[in-house]
Amino acid sequence: VGATDPMPRIIETAPFAPRPDVSSSDVTVVTPHLSAARALGVPHITLKKLGEEVVRRSGMGIATAFEAKFTLKHIVAGKVLGTPAGKYSNRISETVNTILRTGIDTSVLAKHCEPRLKPVVEVTESYRAELRRQGLVDPEEVMLEAARIGPKRRLLIIYGYFRGRKEEIDFIDSIAGEGSIYYLPCGDYDIFSINRGWFAELKRSGWVEAEGSALEPFS
């Protein structure tokens, strides 16, 4: 590799990968749990925390639990008549969170969803728009919003996120710089099927697999 050639971004796919080398002061180690960070002897930094940093640096804030609940209830009161706003808000909050967290296209969803779900989609769109008017992002959409912002890339080791999720994959791909390593266990077993799909998607984005492929049969 020439001196000016970029270092690849690596996916470590081994189900039982060796402990990462975190000795470099240039690398940020990202772990989902405090126990994992302590085991590696590094500060506890999560993907969501990184996402929050990106969002805040862009000039937006993260809605508090109270702000999110109050705003959702306010939107419901104006859009869903004939039902108590608080009760309805509580009932749909999990669905709203899922839409926001996974980045489902609400315009497409509204065309194809069941009629009973259309008010929820409309509420979600208005809720998100109202938060943006206030300069806020719902906590559930932090990583996808951070990915959309286009954060400055940095050298990362992402360890302990052993089951890929869309919002994580999108954010990791947007923020991980040259030489970053993402531990994403794969293999032939069914429990790794989702991760194999994410691996293929990241490979299309230029990531490469670490030596010693786990995607070959193993015992």
Side-chain angles (χ1 to χ4, degrees):
V1 179
T4 60
D5 292 336
M7 294 179 63
R9 298 184 294 174
I10 303 293
I11 305 176
E12 175 57 77
T13 59
F16 303 103
R19 173 190 182 105
D21 178 7
V22 298
S23 59
S24 172
S25 60
D26 295 328
V27 67
T28 299
V29 183
V30 185
T31 58
H33 308 297
L34 179 58
S35 57
R38 284 177 173 168
L40 296 176
V42 296
H44 183 216
I45 301 173
T46 65
L47 283 173
K48 191 166 186 179
K49 183 177 179 181
L50 281 183
E52 289 173 349
E53 290 178 5
V54 172
V55 168
R56 289 194 173 104
R57 285 174 183 167
S58 76
M60 290 190 290
I62 313 297
T64 65
F66 174 80
E67 288 170 330
K69 187 172 183 178
F70 177 85
T71 303
L72 181 60
K73 184 178 176 180
H74 172 73
I75 295 299
V76 167
K79 283 192 166 290
V80 185
L81 305 179
T83 185
K87 187 175 182 179
Y88 188 82
S89 298
N90 290 337
R91 191 164 78 241
I92 70 170
S93 61
E94 186 174 342
T95 302
V96 172
N97 288 343
T98 299
I99 293 172
L100 294 174
R101 185 179 65 252
T102 58
I104 296 172
D105 188 329
T106 49
S107 63
V108 174
L109 182 59
K111 293 178 182 178
H112 301 287
C113 69
E114 298 177 10
R116 65 180 179 83
L117 189 58
K118 287 191 176 182
V120 181
V121 176
E122 292 175 1
V123 165
T124 303
E125 290 177 334
S126 296
Y127 167 70
R128 179 164 46 199
E130 175 58 22
L131 284 184
R132 292 298 186 277
R133 189 188 69 79
Q134 300 175 37
L136 297 173
V137 174
D138 184 276
E140 293 291 335
E141 58 175 342
V142 161
M143 279 190 278
L144 284 181
E145 183 61 29
R148 282 191 286 266
I149 289 169
K152 181 179 179 181
R153 293 190 182 275
R154 53 202 292 185
L155 178 61
L156 301 176
I157 291 178
I158 302 128
Y159 183 82
Y161 290 86
F162 295 136
R163 186 177 178 84
R165 298 170 61 171
K166 175 178 170 46
E167 64 273 20
E168 295 171 354
I169 298 297
D170 285 0
F171 181 50
I172 288 169
D173 191 35
S174 72
I175 195 171
E178 295 178 16
S180 293
I181 304 174
Y182 176 23
Y183 284 73
L184 183 70
C186 296
D188 289 341
Y189 298 126
D190 290 342
I191 60 171
F192 297 125
S193 59
I194 292 176
N195 284 359
R196 288 198 299 269
W198 292 130
F199 168 80
E201 184 167 316
L202 288 171
K203 195 172 181 180
R204 287 191 289 271
S205 292
W207 291 73
V208 300
E209 187 177 8
E211 294 183 7
S213 173
L215 298 183
E216 298 173 355
F218 62 91
S219 57

